Every structure is written in structure tokens, then in C-alpha cells.
Amino acid sequence: MQLPIYLYGQSVLRKPAEEIGPEYPGLEDLISNMQDTLEHADGVGLAAPQVGLPIRLFIVDLRPLADQDPAFADYTRSFINPKILEYSDETEILEEGCLSVPGIHENVPRSTRIVLQYQNIDFTQHEEVFEDYAARVIQHEYDHLNGKVFTDRINPIRKQLVKGKLNNIVKGKVDCTYKTRASR
Ligand code: NI
């Protein structure tokens, strides 16, 4: 089932999300609905606050990039209560977008390598290294759990230039192929 995606301007996107435990109701259904939503919207990552839930959970789906890297052919992952333990000093600047910020694509610097601690759906704890594109997507989604969106990280001049577009998103003036929920 597809869920509406909350747009820039919604307060849930600015709230630090809370950790969850195994008692969280309907977690499997929620992840499956988030996967449907992400796939339909042609995105590569979706965090729970983007579907209106202030909890520490995000999913990553790198299958749209399988043409460029066959390793992504069946790359769908979910991360619960994630914590980035290490960021590489080396960073790379690449263009990003966000399903909550439709129509805006801007350069964002990100570490090229991170160490992530997270839990699986069964709440077992894992620690894993991610690099390059996967590391970027995870850092972007992780920001969502801390009330940040990628436009917070773009350079101030560019930010000024996209201000009008951001205001339109707040007002719900967007052209999306997926269901959205604007703040007004
Ligand atoms: Ni995003």
C-alpha cells in the first residue's frame, strides 16, 4: 500500500525521531508500505518521518541504479535505530534530491565512507561499513531522523536561489506522480 509522502514544511520533518522497540505495532506492514511507496515514487531512500512517523527507521532501495552497478540489482535494505559511528574525512560533492522536496536537485557534500550501527526487523544489532553511493543515501536518510533535509546542507547562495521553490512546496504547489501531503 502506498503512503502519502510528507512535503517540506511539514513539522514532522523537523522533529528528531524516537527510537523504537520490538513492541512497535505493525512494523513489518509499515516497512512493506514504505517499500511500495518508495518504489512507486522512483526514489532510492525513504525515512519514516517522510510518511509522517517520527521514528528512527529508514529504507534504502538502490535497484534503480543497477544499470550503473550490478551490485545494486537486488539492493533493498531497512535500518532501525541507526547510528552513524564514524564519518570519513574524505568527502565528495554530488547532486541529491528528496521525495519530500520535489523538483529541487542540488550539490551536497557527504563523507564517502561511514560506519553504521543499526538493528534489523528482528532487532538484532549490526555494524557495517558503507561506501560511496550507499553511504550517501544512508547519510541523507539519517539526516531525516534528526530533523534535517538536504537543502539545509547546500551552499547559502544556492539556498537563496531555491527559496521560491521551497516556498511553493510548503504551499503544496508541486507536480508529483506520487501522493503527497503538504503542510497547508
Ligand atoms: Ni530525503
Side-chain angles (χ1 to χ4, degrees):
M1 186 179 80
Q2 285 165 42
L3 307 168
I5 294 180
Y6 284 57
L7 294 178
Y8 183 92
Q10 285 274 17
S11 59
V12 69
L13 295 176
R14 290 308 192 180
K15 218 191 253 180
E18 300 279 338
E19 288 205 350
I20 55 169
E23 74 290 347
Y24 190 83
L27 190 56
E28 254 175 74
D29 284 345
L30 171 62
I31 291 173
S32 142
N33 290 341
M34 284 174 67
Q35 278 161 347
D36 284 352
T37 306
L38 181 57
E39 197 174 328
H40 177 80
D42 283 324
V44 290
L46 186 68
Q50 294 182 274
V51 295
L53 298 170
I55 59 171
R56 301 190 79 79
L57 155 71
F58 61 74
I59 62 168
V60 171
D61 182 348
L62 299 185
R63 291 175 302 171
L65 299 156
D67 314 347
Q68 293 153 53
D69 188 341
F72 296 149
D74 53 5
Y75 198 108
T76 57
R77 305 281 304 265
S78 55
F79 301 94
I80 297 168
N81 301 327
K83 190 168 185 221
I84 299 180
L85 302 176
E86 282 177 49
Y87 292 87
S88 64
D89 292 333
E90 192 197 339
T91 58
E92 184 179 36
I93 295 174
L94 270 181
E95 201 173 78
E96 287 186 18
C98 178
L99 297 175
S100 293
V101 193
I104 298 180
H105 295 89
E106 293 291 331
N107 283 335
V108 183
R110 299 280 187 191
S111 289
T112 55
R113 180 183 182 276
I114 55 165
V115 180
L116 186 77
Q117 182 190 76
Y118 64 93
Q119 291 162 5
N120 272 341
I121 181 90
D122 59 3
F123 286 87
T124 52
Q125 185 115 312
H126 300 268
E127 210 176 287
E128 197 173 331
V129 172
F130 294 91
E131 290 179 307
D132 304 318
Y133 201 77
R136 172 171 296 270
V137 175
I138 287 170
Q139 287 169 83
H140 175 119
E141 299 313 321
Y142 188 72
D143 272 354
H144 279 301
L145 305 188
N146 297 322
K148 271 208 163 86
V149 293
F150 82 100
T151 48
D152 301 342
R153 295 189 181 274
I154 67 180
N155 91 45
I157 298 164
R158 292 299 312 168
K159 176 115 200 207
Q160 197 57 36
L161 288 170
V162 299
K163 215 173 166 182
K165 278 191 190 174
L166 287 172
N167 286 337
N168 281 339
I169 298 171
V170 172
K171 292 176 198 148
K173 290 186 198 159
V174 292
D175 184 18
C176 289
T177 54
Y178 47 90
K179 269 190 291 175
T180 57
R181 193 161 285 176
S183 61
R184 52 185 151 101

